[in-house]
Amino acid sequence: TVEGHFFAALKRVKLVPDDADWQAVRYSRCGRTDKGVSALGQVVSLELRSKAKIKAKLPAWQDEIDFPMILNRVLPDSIRVLGWADVPQDFHSRFNAKWR
């Protein structure tokens, strides 16, 4: 599945711990990605490794890890990450995404 490839890529590039599951990284998505259903424009949210330091100001988005570049290097050509955004801790893709 698209999600399976995505989560494997996250682990492969060490953006999430090797033993992490969906719940451990607070993963949510705005829609389903059933077999045969397009995942075009899918929005997901999760907690990732960051350049941020504990109890320090968050880095500017330009200074953060280039998540799309790193993930796209290891994802199949048919799956692409187009961008990312920092969101509030209580953000949930299914309920808070404005569009996909």
Side-chain angles (χ1 to χ4, degrees), residues 13-97:
V13 298
K14 308 296 186 202
L15 290 176
V16 298
D18 286 334
D19 60 348
D21 62 11
W22 304 110
Q23 293 81 20
V25 296
R26 298 174 39 104
Y27 177 84
S28 69
R29 64 189 184 294
C30 70
R32 295 173 58 162
T33 58
D34 294 337
K35 186 176 181 177
V37 176
S38 174
L40 183 65
Q42 185 69 260
V43 174
V44 301
S45 61
L46 68 156
E47 293 180 351
L48 299 173
R49 181 172 53 103
S50 170
K51 288 184 177 179
K53 305 293 184 210
I54 296 175
K55 296 185 180 181
K57 184 179 175 186
L58 292 174
W61 69 268
Q62 307 93 316
D63 298 327
E64 186 54 271
I65 296 168
D66 189 342
F67 301 113
M69 181 191 68
I70 291 170
L71 288 165
N72 288 335
R73 285 184 185 166
V74 299
L75 284 166
D77 290 340
S78 60
I79 302 171
R80 298 287 92 187
V81 174
L82 302 179
W84 73 274
D86 189 32
V87 296
Q89 194 73 14
D90 63 348
F91 181 87
H92 191 287
S93 297
R94 182 174 174 200
F95 305 113
N96 300 112

